[in-house]
Amino acid sequence: MKKIDCSSCIVEVGNLELSSFPQLLTETYKDARKVIVVDENTHDFCLEYLLTVFPTLEEAEVILLPAGEENKVMEVCFQVLEALSEYGIVRSDLVITLGGGVVSDMGGFIASIYKRGLDCIHIPTSLLGMVDAALGGKTGIDLGSYKNQIGTFHNPKAVFVDQRFLASLPEEEWKSGFAEVLKHALIADKQEWERLIASKQNELFSDESVSQILEKSIAIKSQVVTEDPQENGKRKVLNFGHTIGHAIEGYYLELNRLSHGNCIALGMIAEAFLSNQKGTLNTEELNEVVQVMRALYPCPEDLLTGVSVMTELMKNDKKNDQLGVRICFLDRIGECSWNHLIDGNDIKMALNYLYQAYYKN
Ligand SMILES: NC(=O)c1ccc[n+]([C@@H]2O[C@H](COP(=O)([O-])OP(=O)(O)OC[C@H]3O[C@@H](n4cnc5c(N)ncnc54)[C@H](O)[C@@H]3O)[C@@H](O)[C@H]2O)c1
């Protein structure tokens, strides 16, 4: 069992049965009632295992969320809060999330506000949840097309990453999670980036390789979060690709849903371009980033019809200050800096570049 410290929260990577999860259930939370939050897919593919292997959970209340980003909204949270109240859940009870980033973001948020905060344990089931969303204590709910506009910092008591849950994950969602794996390497570890891009896809997702990917990627995120838990500085590097990526995700949310990771991959191309334009990333490395992302992730043909809407969405991004839109620049592969100011013209240029990177011929 690999144990990684993520800002005073222990992340255990390995077989859940051999982790400290059973002990937490039978000792620390022995008298607490348990609430398990799942979505439709993790209800069908992951819950049975949990209930079978950990019999103390048979009496848990199960909260079933509708699957998908479009449901990461306050309306659904209100329904869950009402259910918790009806079940008589009290402050000393425990919320366990079993799902991808939408489940950990919503379950974590609800745990953080119900009765001023319940303890929460995340068991991520998507690659994206394992390497990113379940770590670091940020919770988030969307407001219309604005991503994660409502949220809290609520560090989970523990995170248990067991890659066996990935067995039922659809291929599209593997790719989505892999975008955040690539991002972690791009911002912090050139050697890992080179290893990832040199691997063949069938080798990359073998059990052994996935275990290596998880440990490496979780370690990168955990180190950054531990250094700056409240995102006052350094933690912002984790947002590389996310300012433009979230605007793309917000724009397509109601049109033709693109996965979170796909949008972040497109955002990384656009933000790498701006890094190059502003004199940080060299052109050779920019081309390498574009080539890797383009080979894995599609770009909608009608991207440019959304430029003005996406620009508006970026103006409301959480990382901005009174002076305007702030993004991260890739300085070189493996190093990233934050708080760079860009304007509407930069955004337009970056989206045009992104489109040209896919459709110039
Ligand atoms: N809080 C943070 O720090 C943070 C960081 C990154 C991303 N996020 C958020 O995470 C979300 C994206 O996470 P995601 O990609 O995991 O989304 P998700 O939770 O919607 O999961 C993607 C899909 O995979 C399904 N799924 C999950 N695990 C499965 C399994 N084992 N078997 C079969 N199906 C499974 C889900 O039901 C869903 O349909 C976004 O809302 C994003 O904003 C949060």
Side-chain angles (χ1 to χ4, degrees):
M1 183 68 48
K2 178 91 179 170
K3 292 188 183 187
I4 301 170
D5 176 45
C6 182
S7 183
S8 306
C9 162
I10 288 298
V11 183
E12 294 186 25
V13 187
N15 187 325
L16 189 60
E17 288 141 72
L18 306 177
S19 72
S20 60
F21 182 63
Q23 194 186 353
L24 281 173
L25 292 180
T26 52
E27 292 178 19
T28 317
Y29 295 103
K30 178 169 170 281
D31 298 323
R33 286 177 66 200
K34 282 89 181 170
V35 177
I36 305 175
V37 184
V38 289
D39 73 9
E40 291 147 317
N41 296 317
T42 61
H43 175 275
D44 291 356
F45 294 112
C46 309
L47 184 62
E48 192 182 331
Y49 159 79
L50 206 66
L51 300 184
T52 314
V53 175
F54 304 103
T56 47
L57 289 177
E58 267 165 24
E59 291 181 0
E61 302 291 353
V62 174
I63 300 272
L64 176 62
L65 303 176
E69 181 71 30
E70 61 278 19
N71 296 304
K72 207 176 84 169
V73 292
M74 282 305 283
E75 289 78 355
V76 176
C77 291
F78 285 134
Q79 291 173 20
V80 176
L81 291 165
E82 273 168 7
L84 295 183
S85 187
E86 268 169 37
Y87 294 151
I89 299 301
V90 298
R91 203 169 172 194
S92 52
D93 291 337
L94 175 70
V95 171
I96 300 168
T97 71
L98 179 70
V102 167
V103 173
S104 56
D105 268 10
M106 276 182 95
F109 176 68
I110 290 160
S112 76
I113 60 168
Y114 181 75
K115 308 232 175 195
R116 299 208 177 89
L118 263 63
D119 284 359
C120 170
I121 287 176
H122 292 317
I123 306 178
T125 60
S126 68
L127 180 59
L128 198 141
M130 291 181 185
V131 298
D132 197 356
L135 313 170
K138 271 193 192 177
T139 75
I141 300 297
D142 304 335
L143 197 58
S145 298
Y146 294 108
K147 286 270 306 170
N148 300 331
Q149 287 287 300
I150 303 165
T152 52
F153 283 98
H154 188 64
N155 220 8
K157 288 295 158 191
V159 179
F160 297 100
V161 175
D162 185 336
Q163 70 185 76
R164 291 175 304 166
F165 285 116
L166 297 174
S168 53
L169 193 70
E171 191 186 336
E172 181 64 19
E173 301 302 338
W174 274 91
K175 272 175 66 180
S176 176
F178 193 59
E180 299 284 10
V181 171
L182 288 171
K183 180 204 72 183
H184 286 157
L186 269 182
I187 61 168
D189 192 334
K190 184 176 165 79
Q191 215 182 337
E192 178 64 357
W193 166 262
E194 283 169 354
R195 191 187 74 80
L196 292 170
I197 66 169
S199 309
K200 297 203 176 76
Q201 204 162 332
N202 57 339
E203 291 164 9
L204 207 53
F205 296 136
S206 69
D207 283 354
E208 200 182 323
S209 166
V210 169
S211 145
Q212 198 179 345
I213 286 174
L214 289 175
E215 283 184 22
K216 197 77 184 173
S217 206
I218 292 169
I220 292 172
K221 173 147 186 187
S222 299
Q223 194 183 348
V224 174
V225 169
T226 303
E227 239 178 88
D228 176 23
Q230 298 286 318
E231 198 169 302
N232 295 316
K234 171 90 196 234
R235 184 168 176 171
K236 291 181 183 166
V237 298
L238 295 170
N239 295 317
F240 173 63
H242 281 63
T243 305
I244 296 181
H246 274 167
I248 296 173
E249 191 176 4
Y251 178 68
Y252 283 102
L253 202 55
E254 284 174 13
L255 296 170
N256 165 27
R257 190 187 170 261
L258 286 174
S259 73
H260 177 73
N262 195 146
C263 297
I264 298 313
L266 298 176
M268 285 194 277
I269 293 182
E271 294 184 17
F273 164 75
L274 288 175
S275 313
N276 174 260
Q277 288 294 297
K278 305 285 179 182
T280 62
L281 187 69
N282 70 45
T283 303
E284 197 186 324
E285 292 196 326
L286 168 65
N287 291 339
E288 185 173 312
V289 173
V290 173
Q291 204 187 348
V292 169
M293 300 301 167
R294 205 177 44 184
L296 286 168
Y297 303 97
C299 174
E301 277 182 55
D302 61 355
L303 180 85
L304 295 182
T305 58
V307 171
S308 55
V309 176
M310 290 180 215
T311 306
E312 279 311 303
L313 290 173
M314 274 178 246
K315 287 186 181 156
N316 212 3
D317 190 273
K318 299 180 304 301
K319 299 174 292 299
N320 298 344
D321 56 23
Q322 296 307 337
L323 294 176
V325 178
R326 301 263 176 192
I327 69 163
C328 299
F329 284 167
L330 209 53
D331 295 336
R332 55 188 65 80
I333 290 177
E335 273 178 50
C336 188
S337 54
W338 64 93
N339 264 1
H340 300 283
L341 203 56
I342 57 164
D343 60 23
N345 197 38
D346 293 324
I347 295 171
K348 206 168 155 190
M349 271 191 340
L351 289 169
N352 266 312
Y353 174 84
L354 170 59
Y355 180 80
Q356 296 291 329
Y358 281 81
Y359 299 109
K360 79 175 151 210
N361 297 320

Coordinates of all heavy atoms in Angstrom, one line a residue, residues 42-92:
T42 N -21.8 4.5 -11.1 CA -21.0 3.9 -10.0 C -21.9 3.1 -9.1 O -21.5 2.1 -8.4 CB -20.2 4.9 -9.2 OG1 -21.0 5.9 -8.6 CG2 -19.2 5.6 -10.1
H43 N -23.2 3.5 -9.1 CA -24.2 2.6 -8.4 C -24.2 1.2 -9.0 O -24.2 0.2 -8.4 CB -25.6 3.3 -8.5 CG -26.7 2.4 -7.9 ND1 -27.3 1.4 -8.7 CD2 -27.3 2.4 -6.7 CE1 -28.2 0.8 -7.9 NE2 -28.2 1.4 -6.7
D44 N -24.2 1.2 -10.4 CA -24.3 -0.1 -11.1 C -23.0 -0.9 -11.1 O -23.0 -2.1 -11.0 CB -24.8 0.1 -12.5 CG -26.2 0.6 -12.6 OD1 -26.9 0.7 -11.5 OD2 -26.7 0.9 -13.7
F45 N -21.9 -0.2 -11.2 CA -20.6 -0.9 -11.4 C -19.7 -1.0 -10.2 O -18.9 -1.8 -10.1 CB -19.8 -0.2 -12.5 CG -20.5 -0.2 -13.9 CD1 -21.0 0.9 -14.5 CD2 -20.6 -1.5 -14.5 CE1 -21.6 0.8 -15.7 CE2 -21.2 -1.5 -15.8 CZ -21.7 -0.4 -16.4
C46 N -19.9 -0.1 -9.2 CA -18.9 -0.1 -8.1 C -19.5 -0.4 -6.7 O -18.8 -0.8 -5.8 CB -18.2 1.3 -8.0 SG -17.6 1.8 -9.6
L47 N -20.8 -0.1 -6.5 CA -21.4 -0.1 -5.2 C -21.5 -1.5 -4.6 O -21.2 -1.7 -3.4 CB -22.8 0.5 -5.2 CG -23.5 0.7 -3.8 CD1 -22.7 1.5 -2.9 CD2 -24.9 1.2 -4.0
E48 N -21.8 -2.5 -5.5 CA -22.0 -3.8 -5.0 C -20.8 -4.4 -4.3 O -20.8 -5.0 -3.2 CB -22.5 -4.7 -6.1 CG -23.0 -6.1 -5.6 CD -23.3 -7.0 -6.8 OE1 -23.7 -6.5 -7.8 OE2 -23.2 -8.2 -6.6
Y49 N -19.6 -4.1 -5.0 CA -18.4 -4.5 -4.4 C -18.2 -4.0 -3.0 O -17.8 -4.7 -2.0 CB -17.2 -4.1 -5.3 CG -15.9 -4.0 -4.6 CD1 -15.1 -5.2 -4.3 CD2 -15.4 -2.8 -4.1 CE1 -14.0 -5.2 -3.6 CE2 -14.2 -2.8 -3.4 CZ -13.5 -4.0 -3.2 OH -12.3 -3.9 -2.5
L50 N -18.5 -2.7 -2.8 CA -18.2 -2.0 -1.5 C -19.1 -2.6 -0.5 O -18.7 -2.9 0.7 CB -18.6 -0.5 -1.7 CG -17.9 0.4 -0.7 CD1 -16.4 0.4 -1.0 CD2 -18.4 1.8 -0.9
L51 N -20.4 -2.9 -0.8 CA -21.4 -3.4 0.2 C -21.1 -4.9 0.5 O -21.3 -5.3 1.6 CB -22.8 -3.3 -0.4 CG -23.3 -1.8 -0.7 CD1 -24.7 -1.8 -1.1 CD2 -23.0 -0.9 0.5
T52 N -20.5 -5.6 -0.5 CA -20.3 -7.0 -0.2 C -19.0 -7.2 0.6 O -19.0 -8.0 1.6 CB -20.0 -7.7 -1.6 OG1 -21.0 -7.3 -2.5 CG2 -20.0 -9.2 -1.4
V53 N -18.0 -6.4 0.3 CA -16.7 -6.6 1.0 C -16.7 -6.0 2.4 O -16.0 -6.4 3.3 CB -15.6 -6.0 0.1 CG1 -14.2 -6.1 0.8 CG2 -15.5 -6.8 -1.2
F54 N -17.5 -4.9 2.6 CA -17.5 -4.2 3.9 C -18.9 -4.3 4.4 O -19.7 -3.4 4.3 CB -17.0 -2.8 3.7 CG -15.7 -2.7 3.1 CD1 -15.6 -2.3 1.7 CD2 -14.5 -3.0 3.8 CE1 -14.3 -2.2 1.1 CE2 -13.3 -2.9 3.2 CZ -13.2 -2.5 1.9
P55 N -19.2 -5.4 5.1 CA -20.6 -5.6 5.6 C -21.2 -4.5 6.5 O -22.4 -4.3 6.5 CB -20.5 -6.9 6.3 CG -19.2 -7.5 6.0 CD -18.3 -6.4 5.5
T56 N -20.3 -3.8 7.2 CA -20.8 -2.7 8.0 C -21.5 -1.6 7.2 O -22.3 -0.8 7.7 CB -19.7 -2.0 8.8 OG1 -18.6 -1.7 7.9 CG2 -19.2 -2.8 10.0
L57 N -21.3 -1.6 5.9 CA -21.9 -0.6 5.0 C -23.3 -1.0 4.5 O -23.9 -0.2 3.9 CB -21.0 -0.3 3.8 CG -19.7 0.4 4.1 CD1 -18.8 0.6 2.9 CD2 -20.0 1.8 4.8
E58 N -23.7 -2.2 4.9 CA -25.0 -2.6 4.4 C -26.1 -1.7 4.9 O -27.2 -1.6 4.3 CB -25.3 -4.1 4.8 CG -24.9 -5.1 3.8 CD -24.8 -6.5 4.3 OE1 -25.4 -6.8 5.3 OE2 -24.0 -7.3 3.7
E59 N -25.9 -1.1 6.1 CA -26.9 -0.3 6.7 C -26.8 1.2 6.2 O -27.5 2.0 6.7 CB -26.9 -0.4 8.2 CG -27.3 -1.8 8.6 CD -27.3 -2.0 10.1 OE1 -27.0 -1.0 10.8 OE2 -27.7 -3.1 10.5
A60 N -25.8 1.5 5.4 CA -25.6 2.9 5.0 C -26.7 3.4 4.2 O -27.4 2.6 3.5 CB -24.3 2.9 4.2
E61 N -27.0 4.7 4.2 CA -27.9 5.3 3.3 C -27.2 5.5 2.0 O -26.0 6.0 2.0 CB -28.4 6.7 3.9 CG -29.0 6.6 5.2 CD -30.4 5.9 5.2 OE1 -30.9 5.6 4.2 OE2 -30.9 5.7 6.3
V62 N -27.8 5.2 0.9 CA -27.2 5.4 -0.4 C -27.9 6.6 -1.1 O -29.1 6.6 -1.2 CB -27.3 4.2 -1.3 CG1 -26.8 4.4 -2.7 CG2 -26.5 3.0 -0.6
I63 N -27.1 7.6 -1.5 CA -27.7 8.8 -2.2 C -27.3 8.6 -3.7 O -26.1 8.5 -4.0 CB -27.1 10.1 -1.7 CG1 -27.4 10.3 -0.2 CG2 -27.5 11.3 -2.5 CD1 -28.7 10.9 0.1
L64 N -28.2 8.5 -4.5 CA -28.0 8.3 -6.0 C -28.1 9.6 -6.7 O -29.2 10.2 -6.8 CB -29.0 7.3 -6.5 CG -29.0 7.0 -8.0 CD1 -27.6 6.3 -8.4 CD2 -30.1 6.0 -8.3
L65 N -27.0 10.1 -7.3 CA -27.0 11.3 -8.1 C -27.2 11.0 -9.6 O -26.7 9.9 -10.0 CB -25.7 12.0 -7.9 CG -25.2 12.4 -6.5 CD1 -23.9 13.1 -6.6 CD2 -26.2 13.4 -5.9
P66 N -27.9 11.8 -10.3 CA -27.9 11.6 -11.8 C -26.5 11.8 -12.3 O -25.8 12.7 -11.8 CB -28.9 12.7 -12.3 CG -29.0 13.7 -11.2 CD -28.6 13.1 -9.9
A67 N -26.1 11.0 -13.3 CA -24.7 11.1 -13.7 C -24.5 12.3 -14.7 O -25.5 12.7 -15.4 CB -24.3 9.8 -14.5
G68 N -23.3 12.9 -14.7 CA -23.0 13.9 -15.7 C -22.8 15.3 -15.1 O -23.5 15.7 -14.1
E69 N -21.9 16.0 -15.8 CA -21.6 17.4 -15.3 C -22.8 18.3 -15.3 O -22.9 19.2 -14.4 CB -20.6 17.9 -16.4 CG -20.0 19.3 -16.1 CD -19.1 19.4 -14.9 OE1 -18.4 18.4 -14.6 OE2 -19.1 20.5 -14.2
E70 N -23.7 18.1 -16.2 CA -24.9 19.0 -16.2 C -25.7 18.9 -14.9 O -26.6 19.7 -14.6 CB -25.8 18.7 -17.4 CG -26.4 17.3 -17.6 CD -25.4 16.3 -18.1 OE1 -24.2 16.5 -18.1 OE2 -25.9 15.2 -18.6
N71 N -25.5 17.9 -14.1 CA -26.2 17.7 -12.8 C -25.4 18.2 -11.6 O -25.8 18.0 -10.5 CB -26.5 16.2 -12.6 CG -27.5 15.8 -13.7 OD1 -28.6 16.4 -13.9 ND2 -27.1 14.8 -14.5
K72 N -24.2 18.8 -11.9 CA -23.4 19.3 -10.8 C -23.9 20.7 -10.4 O -23.2 21.7 -10.6 CB -21.9 19.3 -11.2 CG -20.9 19.1 -10.0 CD -19.5 19.1 -10.5 CE -18.9 20.4 -10.7 NZ -17.4 20.4 -10.9
V73 N -25.1 20.7 -10.0 CA -25.8 22.0 -9.8 C -26.5 22.1 -8.4 O -26.7 21.0 -7.8 CB -26.9 22.3 -10.9 CG1 -26.2 22.5 -12.2 CG2 -27.9 21.1 -10.9
M74 N -26.8 23.3 -8.0 CA -27.4 23.5 -6.6 C -28.7 22.8 -6.5 O -29.0 22.3 -5.4 CB -27.6 25.0 -6.3 CG -26.3 25.7 -5.9 SD -25.4 24.9 -4.5 CE -26.4 25.5 -3.2
E75 N -29.5 22.7 -7.6 CA -30.8 22.1 -7.5 C -30.7 20.7 -7.0 O -31.5 20.2 -6.1 CB -31.5 22.1 -8.8 CG -32.0 23.4 -9.3 CD -30.9 24.3 -9.9 OE1 -29.7 23.9 -9.8 OE2 -31.2 25.4 -10.4
V76 N -29.7 19.9 -7.5 CA -29.5 18.5 -7.1 C -29.0 18.5 -5.6 O -29.4 17.7 -4.8 CB -28.5 17.8 -8.0 CG1 -28.2 16.4 -7.5 CG2 -29.1 17.8 -9.4
C77 N -28.1 19.5 -5.3 CA -27.6 19.5 -3.9 C -28.7 19.7 -2.9 O -28.7 19.1 -1.9 CB -26.6 20.7 -3.8 SG -25.1 20.4 -4.6
F78 N -29.7 20.6 -3.2 CA -30.8 20.9 -2.3 C -31.5 19.6 -2.0 O -31.9 19.3 -0.9 CB -31.8 21.9 -2.9 CG -31.2 23.3 -2.8 CD1 -31.3 24.2 -3.9 CD2 -30.7 23.8 -1.6 CE1 -30.8 25.5 -3.8 CE2 -30.2 25.1 -1.5 CZ -30.3 25.9 -2.6
Q79 N -31.8 18.8 -3.1 CA -32.5 17.5 -2.9 C -31.7 16.6 -2.0 O -32.3 15.9 -1.1 CB -32.7 16.8 -4.3 CG -33.7 17.6 -5.1 CD -33.8 17.0 -6.5 OE1 -33.4 15.8 -6.7 NE2 -34.2 17.7 -7.5
V80 N -30.4 16.5 -2.2 CA -29.6 15.7 -1.3 C -29.6 16.2 0.1 O -29.8 15.4 1.1 CB -28.1 15.6 -1.8 CG1 -27.3 14.7 -0.9 CG2 -28.1 15.0 -3.2
L81 N -29.5 17.5 0.3 CA -29.5 18.0 1.7 C -30.8 17.7 2.4 O -30.9 17.3 3.6 CB -29.3 19.6 1.6 CG -27.9 20.0 1.2 CD1 -27.9 21.5 0.8 CD2 -26.9 19.7 2.3
E82 N -31.9 17.8 1.6 CA -33.2 17.5 2.2 C -33.3 16.0 2.6 O -33.8 15.6 3.6 CB -34.3 17.8 1.2 CG -34.8 19.2 1.3 CD -35.7 19.7 0.2 OE1 -36.1 18.9 -0.7 OE2 -36.0 20.9 0.2
A83 N -32.7 15.1 1.7 CA -32.7 13.7 2.0 C -31.9 13.4 3.3 O -32.3 12.7 4.2 CB -32.1 12.9 0.8
L84 N -30.7 14.1 3.4 CA -29.9 13.9 4.6 C -30.7 14.3 5.9 O -30.6 13.6 6.9 CB -28.6 14.7 4.6 CG -27.6 14.4 3.5 CD1 -26.4 15.2 3.6 CD2 -27.2 12.9 3.5
S85 N -31.4 15.4 5.8 CA -32.2 15.8 6.9 C -33.3 14.8 7.2 O -33.5 14.5 8.4 CB -32.8 17.2 6.5 OG -33.4 17.8 7.6
E86 N -34.0 14.3 6.2 CA -35.0 13.3 6.4 C -34.5 12.0 7.0 O -35.1 11.4 7.9 CB -35.7 12.9 5.1 CG -36.9 13.7 4.7 CD -37.3 13.5 3.3 OE1 -37.2 12.3 2.8 OE2 -37.7 14.5 2.6
Y87 N -33.3 11.6 6.6 CA -32.7 10.4 7.2 C -32.2 10.7 8.6 O -31.7 9.7 9.3 CB -31.4 10.0 6.4 CG -31.8 9.5 5.0 CD1 -30.8 9.6 3.9 CD2 -33.0 8.9 4.7 CE1 -31.1 9.2 2.6 CE2 -33.2 8.5 3.4 CZ -32.3 8.6 2.4 OH -32.6 8.2 1.1
G88 N -32.2 11.9 9.1 CA -31.7 12.2 10.4 C -30.2 12.1 10.6 O -29.7 11.8 11.6
I89 N -29.5 12.5 9.5 CA -28.0 12.4 9.6 C -27.5 13.6 10.5 O -28.0 14.7 10.4 CB -27.4 12.5 8.1 CG1 -27.9 11.4 7.3 CG2 -25.9 12.7 8.2 CD1 -27.5 10.0 7.8
V90 N -26.6 13.3 11.3 CA -26.1 14.3 12.3 C -24.6 14.6 12.0 O -24.0 13.9 11.1 CB -26.3 13.9 13.7 CG1 -27.7 13.7 14.1 CG2 -25.5 12.6 14.1
R91 N -24.1 15.6 12.7 CA -22.8 16.1 12.3 C -21.6 15.1 12.5 O -20.6 15.2 11.9 CB -22.5 17.3 13.2 CG -21.5 18.2 12.6 CD -21.5 19.5 13.4 NE -20.3 20.3 12.9 CZ -19.9 21.3 13.6 NH1 -20.5 21.7 14.7 NH2 -18.9 22.0 13.1
S92 N -21.8 14.1 13.4 CA -20.8 13.1 13.6 C -20.9 11.9 12.7 O -20.1 11.0 12.8 CB -20.9 12.6 15.1 OG -22.2 12.1 15.3

